Amino acid sequence: LSYASIMTGIAFSVSRLSLSLALSPALSSRSNISVQRCMGVFLPHIMEYKLTATPGKYVQMSKVMDEDVREITVIEAAIKAVEAISKLESDVDIPQRLSHYDISKSLFTEISNLAITYPFLENTPREVNTNEIETILIAAY
């Protein structure tokens, strides 16, 4: 169990899930939504935010999800990855909006101020500040 905990910590600290890992516990600590549900809600919105930072990786995701990306631009192919994730979440009934939960928009500033303090954000492929985090929260609402 200790080994698994260490490996998980290492994976979190070097992964590109940094923004999701910062936003989800911040929201969960201020609401009745579990961290896992928060991550599900945030995933397509964070992917959209980071799309221009690593479009090549998104193209790979599109291919893995059987999207035809042969005759379109890299950005269009990257957008298909975000759309495929949204569709997958919809197919398995994962809510994609914070509005499905009892959350007040007035908490967004507090949540973004908390999220920015997490060290996970050091690994994000695109710099982020509290205003951008709040924008993601609004987009997810």
Side-chain angles (χ1 to χ4, degrees), residues 9-29:
I10 291 170
F12 283 171
S13 67
V14 299
S15 76
R16 298 286 182 157
L17 295 172
S18 51
L19 187 51
S20 180
L21 286 172
L23 258 174
S24 297
L27 175 60
S28 182
S29 70

Side-chain angles (χ1 to χ4, degrees), residues 53-84:
T54 55
K57 291 185 180 196
Y58 283 69
V59 173
Q60 291 174 355
M61 282 188 266
S62 292
K63 290 177 182 177
V64 167
M65 299 186 81
D66 288 331
E67 296 291 332
D68 184 11
V69 296
R70 289 176 290 178
E71 297 184 25
I72 58 177
T73 68
V74 170
I75 296 299
E76 289 171 329
I79 291 169
K80 282 188 172 274
V82 177
E83 292 170 348

Side-chain angles (χ1 to χ4, degrees), residues 79-94:
I79 291 169
K80 282 188 172 274
V82 177
E83 292 170 348
I85 292 296
S86 292
K87 183 181 180 322
L88 179 63
E89 286 189 351
S90 178
D91 289 348
V92 295
D93 290 330
I94 295 174

Side-chain angles (χ1 to χ4, degrees), residues 70-128:
R70 289 176 290 178
E71 297 184 25
I72 58 177
T73 68
V74 170
I75 296 299
E76 289 171 329
I79 291 169
K80 282 188 172 274
V82 177
E83 292 170 348
I85 292 296
S86 292
K87 183 181 180 322
L88 179 63
E89 286 189 351
S90 178
D91 289 348
V92 295
D93 290 330
I94 295 174
Q96 295 180 24
R97 297 276 171 210
L98 293 175
S99 58
H100 288 103
Y101 300 97
D102 188 28
I103 296 174
S104 172
K105 286 184 181 180
S106 64
L107 289 174
F108 289 177
T109 300
E110 182 181 350
I111 292 165
S112 64
N113 287 334
L114 178 58
I116 202 75
T117 66
Y118 286 102
F120 306 125
L121 294 177
E122 295 170 7
N123 297 324
T124 190
R126 180 177 170 194
E127 291 293 318
V128 66

